Amino acid sequence: MDFLLWFMVGFILIGLLVFLLMKKRMETKLAHVKAHPDSEEASRDTKHMVWWVWSVTAWGVVSLALVVWWFNSTSG
């Protein structure tokens, strides 16, 4: 099998596992921000949630790029 295939599958599965495990913590932070919107911790938690959304988006883009790259390398 192709190294790029295994790298792609590993990247997607490990990333999915990490983000699913972090999802519960982000839900807790969101509940805290909704309950106490004016606190200092809410500002910090909001920054963490924004970084989490950006990292999930970046992970998705890289995953799609790896899939496209793999299809291009195997079909051509």
Side-chain angles (χ1 to χ4, degrees):
M1 279 285 186
D2 190 1
F3 173 74
L4 182 59
L5 173 67
W6 289 110
F7 178 75
M8 176 188 65
V9 169
F11 181 81
I12 291 171
L13 290 178
I14 291 170
L16 185 65
L17 180 67
V18 167
F19 288 123
L20 287 177
L21 291 174
M22 290 179 66
K23 182 180 179 280
K24 184 66 175 171
R25 189 171 11 156
M26 290 301 131
E27 289 173 346
T28 305
K29 287 184 180 193
L30 179 61
H32 181 266
V33 168
K34 284 183 176 181
H36 309 290
D38 296 331
S39 69
E40 181 66 31
E41 289 180 11
S43 173
R44 183 181 46 118
D45 287 344
T46 303
K47 288 179 185 177
H48 287 153
M49 288 186 293
V50 169
W51 274 105
W52 185 74
V53 169
W54 275 108
S55 62
V56 169
T57 303
W59 169 78
V61 168
V62 170
S63 296
L64 288 173
L66 283 172
V67 169
V68 169
W69 184 21
W70 181 75
F71 275 117
N72 281 335
S73 68
T74 58
S75 65

